[in-house]
Amino acid sequence: MWSLLQESVINILMYKILLFSFVFLVLDQLSKWFVVFYLELEQKLYLSLNNQFMNFYMAWNKGINFGLFEGDSAIQAYILTGISIAISIVFFIWLRNSTSFLTQILASLVIGGALGNAIDRLLYGAVADFINVTCCGFRNPYSFNLADVFIFIGLIGLLVFMSDEKQN
């Protein structure tokens, strides 16, 4: 009876991570569709948000963060997609038994973000980046997307809060 109850709890935890990952994936894909296609950033390449801090600059990233390892190869896009999927599976397996709601959300951010960028690579051969943060007259040449924000917040949060859990 106890093992059946434990198994039910684990299944619920797994489904929560999958559900939250799906929500973050959908948010990422909707934001890309809205900005890139509905607001036509793909054609305009730049949209001013009338502020000094953030604007939309279109960038198709065929590499990894900040355009590292950028290439035009379809094989590279498939390899990077495979890596994103593998990382998502590893995070899911690693954290599927976590009972911490915060850890589940943070893992889901990483998984949803990684899969969101993987979908871009499969659909377009590159990741749609469009958020550009600038400050003080300095133009930042790099753009990013909501999936990148999710991955960053998820990883930093896991590093901070997982080390706190180990100390307690």
Side-chain angles (χ1 to χ4, degrees):
M1 170 96 174
W2 177 248
S3 66
L4 185 62
L5 181 61
Q6 277 183 311
E7 191 175 310
S8 296
V9 169
I10 289 171
N11 285 337
I12 290 169
L13 297 175
M14 287 174 31
Y15 287 123
K16 280 173 56 177
I17 291 174
L18 290 174
L19 176 67
F20 291 131
S21 297
F22 181 74
V23 168
F24 294 128
L25 169 81
V26 168
L27 287 173
D28 169 64
Q29 290 296 300
L30 285 175
S31 73
K32 290 172 184 171
W33 173 84
F34 181 76
V35 173
V36 176
F37 300 109
Y38 183 76
L39 296 179
E40 299 178 338
L41 185 63
E42 186 177 33
Q43 283 82 33
K44 296 175 184 175
L45 301 179
Y46 170 78
L47 287 173
S48 173
L49 300 180
N50 294 322
N51 66 60
Q52 299 278 326
F53 182 66
M54 186 173 82
N55 291 297
F56 292 156
Y57 281 94
M58 186 69 227
W60 289 103
N61 186 352
K62 295 182 180 182
I64 58 174
N65 286 4
F66 305 115
L68 294 173
F69 306 115
E70 188 160 327
D72 244 349
S73 165
I75 293 172
Q76 180 176 332
Y78 290 127
I79 289 170
L80 291 174
T81 299
I83 290 170
S84 294
I85 292 169
I87 288 169
S88 298
I89 291 169
V90 166
F91 265 82
F92 178 73
I93 291 170
W94 178 41
L95 297 168
R96 72 178 185 255
N97 296 331
S98 173
T99 56
S100 164
F101 181 72
L102 180 60
T103 301
Q104 293 168 356
I105 291 292
L106 293 170
S108 298
L109 283 165
V110 174
I111 294 167
L115 293 178
N117 283 343
I119 287 173
D120 282 10
R121 289 186 196 288
L122 290 175
L123 293 177
Y124 314 115
V127 174
D129 288 336
F130 57 88
I131 302 168
N132 181 267
V133 177
T134 60
C135 179
C136 315
F138 172 75
R139 187 197 174 293
N140 175 9
Y142 301 107
S143 293
F144 55 94
N145 60 44
L146 205 51
D148 297 333
V149 173
F150 292 159
I151 294 167
F152 180 80
I153 291 171
L155 289 175
I156 295 298
L158 285 170
L159 287 172
V160 169
F161 293 110
M162 295 293 277
S163 66
D164 283 350
E165 284 182 18
K166 286 182 182 178
Q167 289 177 358
N168 294 333

